[in-house]
Amino acid sequence: IAQLLSWRSLGFRGSPAWPLVPIPFILWRLVQLSRGAAIFTAAGAPWIFPALLQGVLLPFWAMALFGHVLLWPALYKWPLENFSLSTPVGPVPANPLSQIDTGGERMLEELEQTTQERDRLQMRANNLRRMDPRRGGGRQSEASS
């Protein structure tokens, strides 16, 4: 229950750490199984109980831990470009990578606008230089020649 509550609270807040929640719980299960097998052996229980704990349940939870680590690319959507895979467990993070604005398109638009403004100002400056009477341009110098 604690694992599910932790999972849901981190996931609904949009935390990127929500796929990591099962790891401490699985590690604690592995510790409990090892201790339980040692207690059964020390108490002189029939061999089937420690064998069950060490031979079946302990490898199962170890594989569950390993399998969860192997699921990280799917949980974090690392290899996906179209982001169509829904996560197999837990909620989707609040800001999936497809919604993150890198600013590339916006920067290109701003660059285009800035380039157009520069060209417009350059043309205006050239026109003002031609009309400047001190430089010999403009209508007064044309009238005097």
Side-chain angles (χ1 to χ4, degrees):
I1 293 176
Q3 179 178 348
L4 292 176
L5 291 175
S6 302
W7 220 345
R8 292 298 177 187
S9 68
L10 284 175
F12 287 127
R13 285 195 320 230
S15 172
W18 70 267
L20 304 175
V21 169
I23 292 176
F25 292 99
I26 293 174
L27 290 174
W28 180 244
R29 287 183 193 113
L30 292 172
V31 169
Q32 287 176 321
L33 288 170
S34 298
R35 286 183 182 170
I39 290 172
F40 275 129
T41 304
W47 66 271
I48 190 73
F49 294 114
L52 176 68
L53 291 177
Q54 289 179 331
V56 177
L57 294 176
L58 194 66
F60 171 78
W61 283 109
M63 290 303 294
L65 177 64
F66 184 67
H68 186 74
V69 171
L70 290 178
L71 273 178
W72 282 352
L75 294 174
Y76 281 115
K77 299 182 179 182
W78 287 336
L80 302 177
E81 292 181 12
N82 62 359
F83 302 103
S84 61
L85 178 69
S86 61
T87 58
V89 288
V92 176
N95 293 325
L97 296 176
S98 62
Q99 295 178 357
I100 294 176
D101 180 25
T102 59
E105 291 179 18
R106 185 173 34 89
M107 288 179 67
L108 288 175
E109 289 174 8
E110 289 177 12
L111 179 64
E112 180 66 30
Q113 290 173 355
T114 305
T115 304
Q116 290 174 357
E117 181 70 15
R118 184 203 63 196
D119 293 343
R120 187 181 67 77
L121 290 173
Q122 186 72 36
M123 188 183 324
R124 186 172 178 195
N126 290 339
N127 287 338
L128 288 174
R129 275 190 213 112
R130 277 188 260 147
M131 294 173 56
D132 187 10
R134 292 175 288 172
R135 294 187 177 209
R139 293 184 186 147
Q140 290 179 355
S141 65
E142 290 174 5
S144 63
S145 52

